[in-house]
Amino acid sequence: MIKGKHYSARQTDFCLAELHIENDSVQLYSQGNVQISALYNQLNISDRIGNVSRKVVFPDGSVFETSNNDAIDHLIKDNASSLGFMAFVHVLERNMAMIFVSLFITAAVVFSGIKWGVPAAGHIIAANLPAATNKALSTNILSFMDEHLFTPSQLDEKKQQQIRQHYTNSLIPLYEGQQATEFKLHFRLWGDDKQHSIANALALPSGDIIVTDRFIELAESQDEIDMVLLHEMGHVVKRHSLEQVIEGTMLAVVVSLAFGDLSAIADTGIGVGAFLISSFYSRNHEIEADQFAYQYGLKAGIDPNKLTTILQKMELDMKLQLCSENPEKEANCLTDSTTLSGYFSSHPNSLERANKAKHFHDCFIQGLKHCP
Amino acid sequence: MNQLDFTGKGTEYFKIWIVNILLTIITLGLYLPWAKVRTRRYFHANTHLDQNSFDYHATGKQLFISYIISVVLLIIYVTLSRSNPILSAVFAGILVIASPWIIWRSIKFNLGMISYRNVRFGFNGKLAGSYINFLAYPIGLVLGFALVIAILVGVLGSILGSLLPILITLLVLSAYPAFFAFLNKVTNNYFIKGASFGQNNFSTNLEFKPFFFIILKGIGLGLLITVGALAILGLLAYLIIGAEQISNLPGQLINIEQSAQPSGFILASIVLIYSLFLIIGVYIVSYLKTYNRAYIFSKTRFDETATFHSNMHPSELFRIHITNILLMIATIGLAYPWVKIRSYRYLTETIAVNAPNGFAGYVSQTSNEGAIGEELGEAFDIGGIGF
């Protein structure tokens, strides 16, 4: 016998009632009389969730509601051939060991999904999209940057011509990829005047590689320029921009599905998390581009250490520029840095980079053209 | 007056939540609609009024198709917004035009799936009303205001001269709260007047002025706290690190994009200022939510006799929000079930209902709506209207 309330069909009116069970049929008693009797398989019983009250719907649409969940479970167990999937879900929910297993699996899946799953999926999708998608990403970017960031290069024509020729004749042939990306070199001045310009090199998915005047000035040898150009080619060949779009999309979709019902305030916290994750991804891209440069640099017989040298020079130059804007504290400006900021930066940790460089440098010293 | 009563427990919900996540992961997301149904039933069925419970009746199957559509749309939207600005603008435009329909369907579906004492709630608002309140008014008001400003500039520009920018700033500053107060008024009127329970309707008569004053007070309070906090912070900074570093700060902040390694001091100040604004923001949100709800409840009737009252207090709501954020950070999200139970408990248990005639004699007027609008609304986070 199960105690509960009996609601008339689709109405708020109810009276206290008792449900009596006999084998595969049930009788509903209220006010001392049998109100309804029905067979078990005519009933519609709601799933168990925690300890919320259960509802048994009779064929006439009236509803018996009870908080005696265990008795209802018993009724189902005695009659149904299978308990149904939701009963299995409830068994999971009650089992403490299963809860810990779920917790562990969830944590492991979330962690490895972020660390390996998203980049791997991004990599596969990016590699399989047609070359046109990659190109479409960079439409108008160069002209936009020309308008807002760059001024025309002040490097003399001869020097430009010489670098370009060396690039087309010696570097591009090194990479014999299946897809014929058209690599093109552009010279620009980044900044308003020569004294305060920025040393940098960047690559667009279309194969356009932009080098700044200050960078050419800083480079002390052709090898240094070549290594940076190879690094940028690495970004293009590995389709990093496309990967970034795909990875960002996946993160955003998963986050908005998982946390869709949180308030805007909690969203800001999630935004910071997503930012940290995506800078972790772009660090991976930098490392991959380094690897590309080392590999093909070795093929051309360039010392891998040249990449480290020129990158350090560019970073130092950037710092000097910034420090010179506050001359009074220039002395400690250069040493002032924290390890924490490493997490915010898209540049790989210098130690990680140095190890990679050393590995390839060892190969170089042994005169190898290929490094395992 | 009878208060609503919530009997959900954090530990119990934690188990439901973690199993939901596990099954969602194993099924690569396909289980999500069923997980949602379980969660909603848990919350609704644990909510009581007069010892009688509410319930939620949608099934996972009902939510599934629209869930798939919304995931596809979401992927298209996010991909476009990261790769093609023109197409993404077109897509966003289509979504904006469709959004009143989605909101309307979402309200209709969600209310129709909630019951109290075996009888369903419902929504009889017209689709046209949704287009007027959620699309025509917001766009019309902004365009109208822009027109007024343009005329002012044209007519008075030469007369006022340098006073004109000040006048425009004042106009914009006062138009902003008025805009939101007006939208609060029309959307809440639309929602409540359309809502029904059984054969009877809810009614209300919300006006512009109270909403406007609540927003004004909220903004004033926010400004006051911000100025006070910044003054204290500035004084502390002056005492601790001296004036020289402070004067360097703005320059360094501007350069942070280019600098490879910002100093620890700058990072600390960014974190400090960020959390300060977060805390003030949470307080203002709590304030606005509390007083808006109190006003809406005080004006709302059901079946002409039943009245409602909100016992929410802004500082208590603020305390719950802040401790929730701290709990979430400290447990990297594991405290989510407890956080949700806490907020839901406070939001429901501060609702009081006075129904002199009781709730006997009501009859469901059910008509089952499709679920497509519902899930679409959830994916794009625009169905945020609830109790």
Side-chain angles (χ1 to χ4, degrees), chain A residues 110 114 251-264 266-267 269-271 274 277, chain B residues 17 21 32 36 328 332-337 378-379 381:
Chain A
V110 170
I114 288 174
L251 267 188
V253 169
V254 170
V255 161
S256 69
L257 287 177
F259 297 99
D261 57 345
L262 282 183
S263 63
D267 282 351
I270 292 161
I277 293 169
Chain B
W17 178 72
I21 291 183
L32 201 72
K36 224 171 216 170
M328 286 290 280
I332 33 172
L334 269 188
Y336 176 77
E378 298 226 326
D381 205 27

Side-chain angles (χ1 to χ4, degrees), chain A residues 11 43 105 111 201 220 273 277 280-281 295 310 318 367 370:
Chain A
Q11 289 182 32
L43 303 176
I105 294 179
F111 177 78
E220 277 159 31
I277 293 169
F280 163 75
Y281 291 153
Q295 203 180 327
I310 179 72
M318 178 90 79
H370 181 77

Side-chain angles (χ1 to χ4, degrees), chain A residues 244 247 277-287 346:
Chain A
Q244 217 157 348
E247 286 164 353
I277 293 169
S278 62
S279 65
F280 163 75
Y281 291 153
S282 53
R283 237 158 53 180
N284 280 351
H285 292 162
E286 290 303 322
I287 291 171
S346 64

Side-chain angles (χ1 to χ4, degrees), chain B residues 305-335:
Chain B
T305 52
T307 57
F308 302 85
H309 183 74
S310 168
N311 295 317
M312 212 152 76
H313 202 275
S315 52
E316 183 59 14
L317 187 62
F318 170 72
R319 197 184 63 81
I320 290 174
H321 277 322
I322 289 291
T323 44
N324 278 352
I325 293 174
L326 292 178
L327 271 172
M328 286 290 280
I329 294 172
T331 60
I332 33 172
L334 269 188

Side-chain angles (χ1 to χ4, degrees), chain A residues 249 253-254 256-257, chain B residues 28-30 32-33 36 63-79 91 375-376 378-380:
Chain A
T249 306
V253 169
V254 170
S256 69
L257 287 177
Chain B
L28 298 174
L30 293 181
L32 201 72
K36 224 171 216 170
L63 301 186
F64 185 70
I65 297 171
S66 44
Y67 165 65
I68 296 297
I69 296 176
S70 63
V71 169
V72 171
L73 285 180
L74 190 65
I75 291 174
I76 295 174
Y77 178 69
V78 178
T79 314
F91 192 77
E375 281 286 316
L376 284 182
E378 298 226 326
F380 294 99

